Amino acid sequence: MASVNKRRWPHNGVEKEAWIVRYVDHSGKRRGKTFNKKKDADAYKRKVEADMDNGLHVPDGDTDTIKGMGEKLLRHLELRQLNGGLSRQRLYIYRLAFDRGVVPYIGNVKLSELKFSHLDAWWLELSKTSISERTRRDYLKCLKVLESFAIKRGASKKAVVPGFIKELGTLPEKPIRVLNSEQVGRLLEVVEERPKGKQRRTHAILRCAVHLAAFCGLRFGEIMGLTVVNLDLDAQVIQVRHSLNVFGELKGPKTAAGRRDVPIPSHVAEMLREWLRTSFIPNERGLVFRTDGGGDMALTNFHKFCWKPLLRRAGLWDEGGDQYHFHALRHFAASFMIQNGLPVTDVASMLGHRKFDTTLQVYAHPIVGGSRRLETAETMARLLLVSDTRETQETLTP
């Protein structure tokens, strides 16, 4: 624990005095800070002891740097995670960003002295690595959070990172490869046949996942986060209330719109009944889909052992090219619903989008060929130009 001691010394014939707070930090290093008034020393002592108890204390000299303030931010986030205010996945992302992308390059830079030149040099160094630009921008967002955290606590006065982000501009979105109707039909056909050597339950999970994504637009995490109590198969409705993240945590939707009831076709309802009857493994959280060992179906394993082989069997795997992601089925579902007359507002509701323009901009892709578009254009011309044609004929008639 910390202690407060009075110190006296002579200076130019005058006796001076001060109050010193002494303590040993988490690393075992002796620390001290001097105050002119005892009340200030006592207040600092109480703060040090409270921060030490909560694992938040970073010595004053260390908080000046990005590394030191980063450690304090991570301890703050760890407390939030323990209290349920932050997911383990989000905490992991922050820690990874600081450990790999921030501290090794600019960790010793003082926050109060951070300039565009530091960020320019840092960005250039990161650009020379194999780290993608999207990941580099994620690192930058974490640095922005750190800077804001420091400003709120008086460790820095001016925000530099937001201006740097603005100067970089937006990163062009990489268009996702979208499956068309014929390709999805091929996948649905091939997934019905279990390959030789593939475990029955693993293949059944793949089959259910493909249908839930293609017909209902569910995300992979939402599929794996389904619980028995959220299935109303008689009413043919799935209540989307959770998503399972990479740490096995059931997290609620990011927005209120993500909490939704999704209608399911009768064949999907029957497929889920069959799964519950033959393959469901009882578990504390009532999760519908569990592996043979009772664990989570991780996305990486799903892609490697289920989705990728399915694409190969369906003839949709492009060696050396850009591959179809499982999420492409969700894009297809949105486009197909709109193409077949479902109002975009209803599609947005089914997908869990707060704004329908997100559905249009991100998920609604053209899935019909040029002949269908030409047919639509010709129909519009016939309907809209009929009156003009009659007027022209009447004018030309002598």
Side-chain angles (χ1 to χ4, degrees):
M1 302 301 288
S3 63
V4 177
N5 302 109
K6 189 174 184 179
R7 177 186 171 222
R8 290 191 177 94
W9 70 97
H11 179 71
N12 294 330
V14 178
E15 187 177 60
K16 298 282 186 177
E17 69 176 28
W19 301 88
I20 303 177
V21 180
R22 293 188 174 92
Y23 65 97
V24 178
D25 66 15
H26 289 291
S27 66
K29 185 176 181 179
R30 294 182 180 276
R31 301 279 184 174
K33 187 171 182 178
T34 302
F35 296 87
N36 291 326
K37 297 180 180 179
K38 186 175 187 300
K39 66 175 183 178
D40 294 336
D42 289 337
Y44 183 72
K45 173 180 178 291
R46 290 192 295 270
K47 181 179 183 302
V48 167
E49 290 176 341
D51 287 349
M52 293 276 284
D53 288 341
N54 293 322
L56 290 175
H57 180 67
V58 177
D60 286 351
D62 292 349
T63 58
D64 293 341
T65 66
I66 289 175
K67 178 181 178 181
M69 184 55 68
E71 292 174 354
K72 190 166 187 175
L73 171 61
L74 288 174
R75 290 173 191 160
H76 171 76
L77 295 177
E78 286 171 358
L79 278 181
R80 283 187 56 193
Q81 191 266 320
L82 289 174
N83 293 328
L86 190 74
S87 69
R88 287 178 60 196
Q89 183 174 1
R90 180 57 55 183
L91 176 60
Y92 173 79
I93 290 172
Y94 278 112
R95 188 176 296 283
L96 194 67
F98 287 122
D99 290 348
R100 293 187 179 181
V102 178
V103 172
Y105 299 91
I106 53 175
N108 293 327
V109 176
K110 291 186 176 181
L111 274 168
S112 59
E113 299 175 0
L114 184 64
K115 301 176 182 177
F116 259 56
S117 57
H118 293 118
L119 298 176
D120 279 331
W122 171 57
W123 192 256
L124 180 62
E125 286 300 311
L126 286 177
S127 301
K128 296 177 182 178
T129 68
S130 60
I131 301 171
S132 69
E133 182 170 357
R134 186 170 299 280
T135 300
R136 298 199 303 268
R137 286 174 181 260
D138 288 340
Y139 292 166
L140 197 55
K141 291 176 183 177
C142 290
L143 186 59
K144 178 184 175 182
V145 171
L146 171 63
E147 190 176 55
S148 175
F149 178 82
I151 290 173
K152 291 176 181 177
R153 285 152 182 81
S156 185
K157 295 182 179 180
K158 185 179 180 180
V160 178
V161 180
F164 187 79
I165 293 176
K166 184 177 181 180
E167 187 176 278
L168 280 179
T170 57
L171 179 65
E173 290 291 335
K174 182 180 178 181
I176 187 171
R177 289 193 71 188
V178 182
L179 295 156
N180 59 37
S181 301
E182 182 181 346
Q183 292 168 326
V184 173
R186 176 62 180 158
L187 285 172
L188 294 173
E189 177 185 350
V190 173
V191 80
E192 291 304 306
E193 184 177 347
R194 178 162 62 98
K196 184 178 180 180
K198 177 67 70 176
Q199 293 180 340
R200 181 190 61 81
R201 289 187 73 262
T202 301
H203 180 73
I205 291 177
L206 170 64
R207 180 169 172 260
C208 290
V210 168
H211 280 261
L212 286 168
F215 289 97
C216 309
L218 266 62
R219 304 175 178 90
F220 180 80
E222 292 172 341
I223 295 171
M224 295 304 147
L226 288 175
T227 59
V228 176
V229 296
N230 293 138
L231 300 182
D232 189 345
L233 301 182
D234 291 334
Q236 294 182 214
V237 170
I238 286 178
Q239 299 170 338
V240 179
R241 299 293 184 267
H242 310 98
S243 183
L244 195 69
N245 66 22
V246 295
F247 289 98
E249 297 173 310
L250 275 179
K251 305 301 294 184
K254 295 180 180 179
T255 64
R259 183 183 176 89
R260 62 201 190 276
D261 294 348
V262 179
I264 57 175
S266 56
H267 83 276
V268 175
E270 185 54 40
M271 189 179 297
L272 292 173
R273 284 194 186 93
E274 180 185 356
W275 168 267
L276 293 174
R277 186 172 60 252
T278 64
S279 304
F280 174 69
I281 296 178
N283 57 92
E284 290 183 356
R285 294 184 291 181
L287 290 167
V288 174
F289 299 108
R290 301 275 80 190
T291 63
D292 287 345
D296 302 334
M297 171 63 79
L299 179 59
T300 51
N301 289 338
F302 178 82
H303 265 273
K304 183 176 180 180
F305 300 111
C306 298
W307 178 245
K308 178 178 175 180
L310 176 63
L311 291 177
R312 288 186 182 279
R313 296 197 303 276
L316 298 176
W317 181 263
D318 183 9
E319 292 293 348
D322 190 17
Q323 308 302 337
Y324 291 107
H325 195 278
F326 180 76
H327 202 71
L329 289 175
R330 175 173 161 87
H331 285 250
F332 165 81
S335 300
F336 197 75
M337 291 172 191
I338 294 173
Q339 184 63 36
N340 284 274
L342 190 63
V344 66
T345 49
D346 289 349
V347 176
S349 177
M350 286 182 63
L351 295 179
H353 293 157
R354 185 167 58 90
K355 298 180 179 179
F356 70 84
D357 56 345
T358 301
T359 310
L360 288 173
Q361 294 173 12
V362 181
Y363 285 89
H365 307 272
I367 59 174
V368 295
S371 59
R372 175 73 177 275
R373 297 176 201 169
L374 177 60
E375 179 184 337
T376 301
E378 292 288 6
T379 301
M380 291 174 63
R382 286 196 303 272
L383 294 174
L384 297 175
L385 296 178
V386 62
S387 59
D388 291 343
T389 302
R390 288 173 180 170
E391 290 177 3
T392 302
Q393 289 175 344
E394 291 173 358
T395 303
L396 294 177
T397 302

